[in-house]
Amino acid sequence: MNAAKSRGIARHIIVLSLSSLPNGAVGAAYNQAFSTKGGAELINCDVVAGAAPGGLTLNAATGVLSGAPTARGIYNFVIRATDSNGCVGRRQYQIIVN
């Protein structure tokens, strides 16, 4: 039995709402907020596979990916959202930087 169930906490599915991300350009400001549906409060986001473009940083607490890409390329990565009960949602994204 998982820890959340043993404490009587209902497990909820977390869904990252964005289906895709806009492309970017080297040196141009980029700012995209990830939103979620489901789960408890205190959602934290992180990259768990692949890598976002260099120059972009994901703020774990706000879910905002921002900065300015530093190199052209196609970047594939997975964002994980975790709530305060340990419930998790993941989604794969791609950003093309020109």
Side-chain angles (χ1 to χ4, degrees):
M1 179 180 281
N2 66 44
K5 279 193 172 185
S6 68
R7 292 189 309 253
I9 299 170
R11 302 292 284 180
H12 297 282
I13 295 173
I14 298 173
V15 176
L16 285 135
S17 301
L18 290 174
S19 60
S20 63
L21 295 175
N23 293 330
V26 171
Y30 190 94
N31 190 320
Q32 183 64 57
F34 292 91
S35 59
T36 59
K37 293 180 184 176
E41 294 296 317
L42 300 174
I43 302 275
N44 285 311
C45 295
D46 60 340
V47 177
V48 294
L56 299 185
T57 303
L58 178 63
N59 182 308
T62 64
V64 173
L65 181 66
S66 63
T70 57
R72 290 184 171 101
I74 299 172
Y75 299 87
N76 294 292
F77 55 97
V78 175
I79 298 289
R80 174 179 62 190
T82 307
D83 74 6
S84 57
N85 292 329
C87 298
V88 175
R90 292 179 179 84
R91 193 166 204 160
Q92 183 171 346
Y93 291 99
Q94 180 180 79
I95 297 175
I96 299 172
V97 178
N98 297 307

